[in-house]
């Protein structure tokens, strides 16, 4: 693989309102191999919960077995509460699309509507990006749109600043930030678990049919920096803690009739467990109803799937990524979740001349065809600015 290209892409932005893949795809290959462990600090309550989860496994059951095959688009809270929403509604109504993934807790950690729930306000902060959440839900219902609430979990600058003890602290006591000025909270802290699940429970009460968790992991490259940080830890590994959260969330939310889905790196299906950031593709898949690998062609560097420039070969790249995903889950049997990948509807010009092509109708349809030819009927389209290609046949 072209490691130089991958590292160069680290320093190039992809715009605001990014999801997991947009922010850190350049670091993936290295991240997934590293698995160093750090100093242990007592925290028995969460360790006991993780151990209990492992011992008392409950079989997951899809709370919506009659749900349609989902074909959706990403919608920022600014779009959902702003002038762009009518055109997005029109797009869904006039095509075979039937779903929207809407930011309810965003990449900064803000709850995106005016909540009055004390538990949520104790840990987080709300912004009225969506001016009237009830009106929005009624509008989605009128248009027969399957609503999915996107909740960014462990990347949460708002919570880290408000409650530094729930974050990672530098030696001088200040909250650690990554190169983009973002802070993460500590997945070992059960308060963090319960806060995010409380956000999800309110979303379920509002009428969302699925909770999609993003950034369910430690910071990228965490294993290389953890020794310089102060944070509480138990004897549980990072993989056990992240998987424990996923299982705990599913068990809390499934009785409410909502599905639980997870966004995960597309690379995760093609490499060993990402112990450095705490993600194991199979273990996470075993405890969710839907798995959404981010398999954007632009996020694969030279050499993947025997391709020189994966972004210029959308059909072949998606085919290779889905093949790896299906192989990874081949032995999951009854625990196998619905595979509903994120695909690309944006142009990755930051890759540089000769390494990308302009994405539009043909490129999006090539990805959809690759999914269908691979037996996958569900997908989500990502465009950070919610500007989707016209004329696409979303078959």
């Amino acid at each position: 693989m072209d490691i130089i290209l991958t590292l160069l892409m680290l320093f190039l932005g992809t715009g605001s309102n990014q999801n997991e893949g947009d922010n850190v795809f350049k670091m993936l290959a290295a991240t997934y191999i590293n698995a160093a462990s750090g100093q242990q600090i007592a925290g028995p309550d969460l360790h006991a919960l993780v151990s209990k989860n492992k011992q008392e496994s409950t079989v997951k059951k899809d709370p919506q077995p009659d749900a349609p095959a989902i074909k959706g688009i990403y919608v920022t809270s600014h779009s959902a509460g702003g002038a762009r929403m009518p055109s997005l509604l029109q797009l869904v109504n006039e095509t075979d699309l039937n779903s929207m993934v809407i930011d309810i807790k965003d990449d900064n950690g803000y709850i995106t509507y005016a909540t009055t729930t004390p538990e949520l306000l104790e840990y987080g902060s709300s912004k009225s990006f969506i001016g009237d959440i009830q009106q929005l839900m009624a509008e989605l219902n009128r248009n027969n749109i399957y609503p999915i609430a996107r909740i960014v979990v462990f990347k949460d600058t708002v919570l880290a600043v408000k409650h530094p003890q729930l974050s990672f602290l530098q030696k001088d006591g200040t909250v650690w930030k990554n190169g983009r000025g973002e802070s993460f909270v500590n997945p070992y802290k059960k308060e963090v678990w319960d806060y995010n699940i409380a956000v999800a429970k309110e979303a379920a009460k509002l009428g969302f049919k699925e909770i999609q968790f993003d950034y369910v992991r430690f910071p990228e490259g965490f294993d290389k920096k953890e020794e310089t940080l102060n944070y509480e830890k138990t004897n549980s590994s990072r993989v056990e803690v992240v998987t424990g959260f996923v299982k705990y969330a599913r068990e809390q939310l499934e009785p409410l009739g909502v599905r639980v889905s997870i966004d995960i790196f597309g690379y995760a299906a093609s490499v060993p467990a990402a112990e450095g950031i705490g993600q194991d593709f199979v273990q996470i898949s075993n405890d969710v109803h839907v798995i959404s690998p981010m398999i954007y062609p632009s996020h694969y560097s030279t050499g993947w799937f025997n391709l020189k420039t994966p972004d210029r070969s959308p059909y072949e790249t998606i085919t290779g990524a889905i093949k790896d995903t299906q192989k990874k889950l081949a032995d999951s049997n009854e625990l196998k979740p619905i595979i509903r990948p994120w695909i690309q509807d944006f142009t990755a010009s930051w890759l540089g001349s000769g390494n990308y092509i302009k994405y539009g109708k043909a490129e999006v349809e090539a990805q959809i065809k690759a999914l269908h030819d691979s037996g996958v009927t569900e997908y989500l389209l990502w465009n950070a600015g919610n500007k989707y290609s016209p004329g696409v046949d979303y078959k």
Side-chain angles (χ1 to χ4, degrees):
M1 294 180 292
D2 189 346
I3 301 302
I4 300 299
L5 175 59
T6 302
L7 292 175
L8 285 174
M9 289 191 295
L10 172 64
F11 302 99
L12 297 171
T14 59
S16 59
N17 297 310
Q18 298 171 329
N19 82 340
E20 180 94 67
D22 283 315
N23 282 329
V24 297
F25 68 92
K26 317 91 175 175
M27 302 272 303
L28 288 178
T31 301
Y32 279 111
I33 297 173
N34 295 312
S37 52
Q39 181 181 4
Q40 295 180 6
I41 303 175
D45 289 342
L46 184 52
H47 180 58
L49 180 60
V50 170
S51 298
K52 180 180 179 182
N53 276 344
K54 289 190 290 185
Q55 295 168 2
E56 300 180 7
S57 179
T58 60
V59 178
K60 69 181 178 184
K61 182 179 180 180
D62 188 350
Q64 295 175 35
D66 298 324
I70 299 303
K71 301 175 182 179
I73 55 174
Y74 169 60
V75 178
T76 69
S77 57
H78 296 276
S79 291
R84 181 159 291 165
M85 192 59 174
S87 64
L88 294 175
L89 286 170
Q90 183 179 5
L91 171 65
V92 175
N93 285 332
E94 294 180 352
T95 66
D96 287 333
L97 295 171
N98 60 5
S99 179
M100 290 184 176
V101 180
I102 299 174
D103 281 336
I104 291 303
K105 178 170 172 273
D106 68 16
D107 292 73
N108 294 312
Y110 287 114
I111 297 169
T112 61
Y113 60 94
T115 180
T116 58
T117 304
E119 180 182 3
L120 302 191
L121 295 176
E122 177 185 356
Y123 289 97
S125 297
S126 67
K127 295 281 187 179
S128 296
F129 301 131
I130 300 172
D132 190 333
I133 188 68
Q134 299 287 356
Q135 179 180 327
L136 172 64
M137 298 309 297
E139 193 168 34
L140 295 174
N141 185 58
R142 282 195 301 271
N143 287 275
N144 197 30
I145 294 174
Y146 186 92
I148 300 174
R150 177 176 179 257
I151 295 175
V152 177
V153 183
F154 296 126
K155 190 181 80 166
D156 192 333
T157 302
V158 170
L159 178 55
V161 171
K162 196 170 185 177
H163 294 281
Q165 75 278 11
L166 300 179
S167 184
F168 302 105
L169 303 180
Q170 301 184 96
K171 298 302 183 183
D172 63 0
T174 60
V175 174
W176 172 82
K177 298 178 182 179
N178 64 17
R180 293 175 295 276
E182 304 159 335
S183 296
F184 279 65
V185 288
N186 185 358
Y188 281 97
K189 300 294 290 184
K190 187 171 182 292
E191 297 97 316
V192 175
W193 289 21
D194 287 332
Y195 165 56
N196 281 279
I197 292 169
V199 175
K201 287 181 176 179
E202 181 155 291
K205 291 179 181 178
L206 287 169
F208 284 94
K209 296 183 179 181
E210 181 175 317
I211 306 300
Q212 183 187 94
F213 291 116
D214 203 352
Y215 285 87
V216 187
R217 62 170 180 82
F218 286 76
E220 63 272 23
F222 182 76
D223 50 303
K224 296 181 178 179
K225 63 174 69 75
E226 65 167 341
E227 291 184 0
T228 67
L229 302 174
N230 293 320
Y231 68 101
E232 291 189 9
K233 182 181 178 182
T234 72
N235 290 325
S236 297
S237 70
R238 289 190 287 272
V239 167
E240 288 175 333
V241 168
V242 169
T243 305
F245 166 76
V246 173
K247 177 180 176 58
Y248 183 66
R250 194 264 302 167
E251 291 178 340
Q252 292 284 310
L253 296 170
E254 191 175 88
L256 302 181
V258 292
R259 283 175 167 173
V260 172
S261 61
I262 296 287
D263 291 341
I264 194 167
F265 294 134
Y267 282 83
S270 305
V271 299
E275 296 177 5
I277 57 172
Q279 285 189 338
D280 182 291
F281 191 92
V282 174
Q283 290 187 37
I284 287 177
S285 294
N286 285 345
D287 250 310
V288 294
H289 306 107
V290 181
I291 192 76
S292 290
M294 294 165 285
I295 56 174
Y296 315 121
S298 61
H299 289 16
Y300 293 90
S301 56
T302 297
W304 280 99
F305 316 120
N306 296 315
L307 299 170
K308 182 179 180 181
T309 51
D311 186 71
R312 298 173 64 91
S313 303
Y315 179 89
E316 291 80 5
T317 303
I318 297 297
T319 299
I322 289 300
K323 182 179 179 180
D324 282 355
T325 300
Q326 292 171 331
K327 182 178 180 180
K328 197 85 166 181
L329 299 177
D331 296 328
S332 297
N333 300 318
E334 73 277 1
L335 293 178
K336 184 177 180 180
I338 295 168
I339 298 172
R340 186 198 299 150
W342 283 99
I343 60 175
Q344 177 172 332
D345 193 358
F346 57 87
T347 297
S349 56
W350 58 86
L351 296 180
S353 179
N355 296 309
Y356 77 96
I357 56 176
K358 181 175 175 58
Y359 269 59
K361 170 181 164 63
E363 291 71 26
V364 173
E365 289 181 350
Q367 295 174 85
I368 295 172
K369 185 178 188 306
L371 293 176
H372 279 281
D373 290 350
S374 301
V376 175
T377 60
E378 302 197 20
Y379 56 84
L380 302 169
L381 290 105
W382 181 269
N383 180 287
N386 303 161
K387 298 176 181 178
Y388 296 98
S389 298
V392 173
D393 181 4
Y394 298 109
K395 53 184 178 295

